[in-house]
């Protein structure tokens, strides 16, 4: 079950990952209460948000009208990787997602670094998404009441503000809902997902009424370099679909529902993003859309010549971004919970409340830690770093599929990657291509981030690894441990058997005593009866 070896190269088998899932060391477990519809809504809730409502203008600034191609290129990367997530999510239905898949295939050190990058993807993206929430909240307040929050309290430093209060508020509200239970969180996410899809469809309908083909020319002003750079930015809009796999321990029939939900989400979101991009550029020129903080509301206001339509879009953005914060924070807490089970992060992250069946302390720690960058860090500072970290994780997932097919061909798989091994290889290639487009500065930040992660693993994770404690020097190996467990089971069975024999003997003795007592009683009764009969004859 466990593969001994040098620290960092230890492999944790899929069977052991599944066997240890679902509960903490005190026996408090998660509840399987999510169906396919809730899981799809959860995925859409994690994906559709800041990337399209706020990040569209940044993508347009890079690619111009060719933003449509940028979205398709980012979608192609996601589709190939989604195939890999679908196979692994069905084969290893645990909350660890990419981290657990890497642990089962690429070794403990790589798994830790994947988990480290997931902290960047989920945790930092929560901060980035929350920053965009304040922009649309001000847009909504302005259209409804004519009053807006002061810039000092609604923007981060560097963008005219001191602290982004709305970003902190939305993170704390999401944490409050998450600790109440997965059922409540799933219902809220489903309602918000349906609402924001309706808002985006409404935007497309309004945008196409003012469509002008001339706005699409010149189509690619920055040529292929602009399209590639735009795809790297657009990829941020797709971040979150892998969060579906973090629900592996709380969804019913996970081997079927996880792959299906991933495919549905990617299909729906890709079609919707392309329609939004076409309608936006068709309604206003790319120069007018580029670098606008609330571009969709601006477009609707211009088309309708009213602030009412923009207010509706702003309301949809407020809801959409709040749902992303909720879903992504959920994924973050489940990743940390899985890493804590393995001893790679402190135990506090794995503890589950017996009352709510949620990792309460974990959730509040995550909220507190990531509310700080949300309050003081501009969106564009963390967006590219989050993108490159996510692409690195997805490349690792594609590689994990290749390795697991070779090492565990017998593992049950409800869904298999089509066109294997071409699909995962193309997934790795697309991830590498988009990582290249993030630029040298982002690469330097990413390398520094990985070095920091390697140091944390060396100083804490390697020493506290539960798998390392089992397979390290002076301890039994996995087969020996299993044999020892079998021996213990045999001893328990023999002890149980001996106890049963003793109980049977004692029961037999008790039965014999009762029979003797009944026999003596019958003899006494016979003696009394005989005496009475004799007395009557004498009389």
């Amino acid at each position: 079950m466990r593969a001994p070896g040098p620290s960092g190269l230890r492999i944790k088998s899929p069977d052991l990952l599944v066997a240890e899932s679902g509960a903490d060391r005190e026996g408090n477990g998660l509840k399987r209460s999510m169906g396919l519809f809730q899981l799809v809504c959860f995925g859409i809730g994690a994906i559709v948000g800041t990337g399209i409502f706020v990040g569209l203008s940044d993508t347009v600034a890079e690619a111009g009208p060719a933003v449509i191609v940028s979205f398709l290129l980012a979608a192609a990367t996601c589709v190939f990787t989604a195939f890999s997530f679908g196979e692994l999510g069905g084969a290893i239905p645990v909350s660890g997602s990419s981290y657990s898949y890497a642990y089962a295939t690429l070794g403990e050190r790589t798994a830790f670094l994947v988990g480290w990058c997931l902290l960047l993807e989920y945790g930092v993206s929560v901060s980035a998404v929350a920053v965009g929430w304040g922009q649309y909240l001000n847009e909504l307040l302005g259209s409804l009441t004519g009053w807006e929050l002061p810039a000092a309290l609604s923007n981060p430093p560097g963008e005219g503000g001191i602290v982004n209060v709305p970003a902190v508020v939305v993170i704390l509200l999401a944490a409050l809902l998450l600790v109440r239970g997965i059922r409540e969180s799933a219902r809220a996410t489903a309602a918000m997902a349906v609402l924001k899809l309706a808002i985006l469809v409404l935007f497309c309908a309004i945008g196409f009424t003012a469509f002008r083909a001339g706005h699409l020319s010149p189509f690619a002003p920055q040529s292929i370099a602009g399209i590639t750079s735009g795809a790297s930015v657009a990829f941020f809009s797709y971040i979150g679909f892998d969060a579906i796999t973090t629900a592996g321990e709380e969804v019913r029939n996970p081997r079927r529902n996880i792959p299906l939900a991933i495919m549905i989400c990617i299909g729906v979101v890709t079609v919707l993003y392309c329609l939004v991009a076409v309608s936006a550029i068709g309604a206003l020129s790319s120069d007018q859309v580029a670098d606008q903080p609330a571009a969709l509301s601006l477009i609707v206001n211009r088309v309708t010549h009213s602030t009412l339509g923009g207010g509706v879009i702003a309301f949809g953005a407020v809801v959409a971004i709040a749902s992303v914060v909720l879903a992504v924070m959920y994924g973050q807490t489940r990743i940390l919970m899985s890493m804590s089970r393995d001893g790679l992060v402190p135990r506090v992250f794995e503890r589950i409340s017996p009352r709510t069946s949620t990792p309460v302390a974990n959730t509040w720690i995550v909220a507190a830690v990531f509310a700080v960058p949300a309050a003081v860090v501009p969106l564009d500072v963390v967006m590219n770093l989050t993108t490159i970290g996510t692409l690195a994780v997805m490349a690792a997932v594609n590689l994990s599929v290749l390795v697991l097919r070779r090492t565990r061909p017998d593992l049950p798989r409800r869904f298999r990657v089509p066109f294997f091994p071409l699909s995962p290889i193309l997934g790795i290639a697309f991830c590498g291509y988009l990582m290249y487009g993030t630029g040298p500065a982002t690469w330097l930040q990413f390398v520094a981030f990985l070095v920091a992660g390697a140091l944390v693993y060396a100083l804490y994770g390697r020493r506290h690894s539960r798998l390392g404690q089992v397979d390290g020097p002076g301890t039994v190996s996995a087969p020996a441990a299993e044999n020892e467990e079998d021996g213990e089971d045999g001893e328990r069975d023999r002890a149980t058997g001996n106890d049963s024999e003793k109980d049977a003997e004692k029961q037999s003795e008790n039965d014999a005593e009762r029979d003797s007592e009944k026999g003596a009683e019958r003899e006494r009764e016979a003696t009394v009866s005989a005496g009475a009969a004799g007395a009557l004859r004498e009389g």
Side-chain angles (χ1 to χ4, degrees):
M1 297 290 287
R2 304 172 179 86
S7 62
L9 300 179
R10 292 182 289 257
I11 301 294
K12 190 169 186 178
S13 76
D15 305 302
L16 185 59
L17 285 167
V18 174
E20 291 183 351
S21 66
D24 60 13
R25 299 185 202 181
E26 283 74 37
N28 301 314
L30 303 172
K31 291 182 179 179
R32 293 194 179 276
S33 57
M34 295 175 67
L36 178 61
F37 176 74
Q38 289 88 353
L39 192 60
V40 170
C41 290
F42 173 77
I44 292 174
I47 300 169
V48 180
T50 302
I52 191 67
F53 281 97
V54 179
L56 175 65
S57 59
D58 296 325
T59 310
V60 170
E62 297 289 341
V67 63
I68 305 160
V69 180
S70 295
F71 273 117
L72 289 174
L73 184 58
T77 303
C78 290
V79 166
F80 289 121
T81 305
F83 288 152
S84 296
F85 268 108
E87 177 169 325
L88 293 173
I92 312 175
V94 296
S95 292
S97 185
S98 314
Y99 155 77
S100 295
Y101 309 152
Y103 210 162
T105 54
L106 305 178
E108 185 176 273
R109 182 185 294 109
T110 303
F112 183 89
L113 290 178
V114 167
W116 186 252
C117 288
L118 286 170
L119 297 182
L120 182 67
E121 176 187 350
Y122 291 127
V124 179
S125 66
V126 164
S127 303
V129 167
V131 169
W133 193 72
Q135 296 172 352
Y136 270 102
L137 180 63
N138 257 347
E139 182 75 17
L140 177 62
L141 290 174
S143 63
L144 293 179
T145 66
W147 176 84
E148 295 182 357
L149 290 170
L153 300 179
S154 59
N155 292 318
E159 295 186 2
I162 299 174
V163 59
N164 194 329
V165 174
V168 177
V169 170
V170 70
I171 288 177
L172 295 180
L173 289 176
L176 184 63
L177 184 58
L178 285 171
V179 298
R180 294 191 61 185
I182 184 59
R183 189 184 299 275
E184 291 79 3
S185 301
R187 287 173 178 169
T189 304
M192 289 188 284
V194 171
L195 178 60
K196 65 183 174 182
L197 288 180
I199 294 292
L200 286 176
V201 170
L202 175 63
F203 169 82
C204 292
I206 294 173
F208 278 121
T209 63
F211 184 85
R212 294 183 181 180
H215 289 163
L216 301 179
S217 180
F219 185 69
Q222 304 297 327
S223 68
I224 189 65
I227 293 174
T228 302
S229 181
S232 298
V233 177
F235 185 80
F236 186 82
S237 304
Y238 289 92
I239 289 178
F241 77 86
D242 52 323
I244 293 172
T245 58
T246 64
E249 297 173 29
E250 292 164 281
V251 63
R252 296 189 294 271
N253 195 5
R255 297 185 187 276
R256 167 187 174 271
N257 288 338
I258 288 177
L260 193 55
I262 290 174
M263 299 306 148
I264 292 173
C265 286
I266 291 295
V268 170
V269 168
T270 299
V271 171
L272 190 62
Y273 280 1
C274 289
L275 289 175
V276 169
V278 171
S279 60
I281 299 300
L284 288 183
S285 68
S286 58
D287 293 337
Q288 293 174 296
V289 175
D291 296 324
Q292 291 293 332
L296 300 191
S297 290
L298 172 67
I299 292 169
V300 172
N301 286 341
R302 294 281 184 87
V303 172
T304 61
H305 305 289
S306 168
T307 60
L308 181 59
V312 173
I313 300 300
F315 173 71
V318 168
V319 172
I321 295 171
S323 72
V324 173
V325 173
L326 179 66
V328 173
M329 277 187 64
Y330 168 88
Q332 173 69 89
T333 58
R334 271 48 179 183
I335 294 292
L336 285 170
M337 184 179 67
S338 296
M339 296 180 73
S340 180
R341 279 188 198 140
D342 296 327
L344 301 185
V345 297
R347 280 195 61 188
V348 65
F349 291 102
E350 76 160 322
R351 292 173 185 155
I352 299 173
S353 167
R355 185 174 64 86
T356 63
S357 298
T358 59
V360 175
N362 180 345
T363 303
W364 284 116
I365 291 173
V366 167
V369 169
F370 291 107
V372 175
V376 298
V377 178
L379 178 63
D380 56 354
V381 171
V382 292
M383 184 178 290
N384 284 339
L385 185 58
T386 304
T387 296
I388 194 173
T390 304
L391 287 166
V393 169
M394 291 186 172
V397 169
N398 284 296
L399 182 58
S400 295
V401 168
L402 294 169
V403 173
L404 197 63
R405 282 284 190 100
R406 183 179 60 84
T407 58
R408 287 298 305 272
D410 59 314
L411 197 66
R413 294 170 170 86
R414 290 288 295 271
F415 173 83
R416 287 178 175 268
V417 171
F419 309 112
F420 183 87
L422 181 60
S423 287
I425 292 174
L426 287 175
I428 294 172
F430 272 100
C431 287
Y433 183 62
L434 294 187
M435 289 174 73
Y436 170 78
T438 58
T442 303
W443 270 97
L444 288 175
Q445 295 172 4
F446 182 57
V447 170
F449 183 78
L450 288 181
V451 170
L455 288 175
V456 172
Y457 172 74
L459 296 176
Y460 184 90
R462 182 173 62 86
R463 299 182 180 185
H464 293 82
S465 168
R466 293 179 65 187
L467 199 59
Q469 292 169 5
V470 171
D471 293 326
T475 60
V476 294
S477 63
E482 292 175 4
N483 292 336
E484 191 172 285
E485 290 174 0
D486 292 341
E488 291 175 357
D489 291 341
E491 290 178 4
R492 284 194 296 269
D493 292 342
R494 287 191 293 274
T496 303
N498 292 337
D499 292 342
S500 300
E501 291 176 2
K502 292 178 181 178
D503 291 342
E505 291 176 1
K506 189 173 182 179
Q507 184 66 31
S508 298
E509 291 175 0
N510 292 337
D511 292 343
E513 289 178 2
R514 283 195 297 271
D515 291 342
S516 298
E517 290 176 357
K518 289 180 180 178
E521 184 67 25
R522 285 194 294 270
E523 289 178 2
R524 284 195 296 271
E525 290 177 356
T527 302
V528 172
S529 299
L536 289 172
R537 284 195 300 269
E538 289 176 1

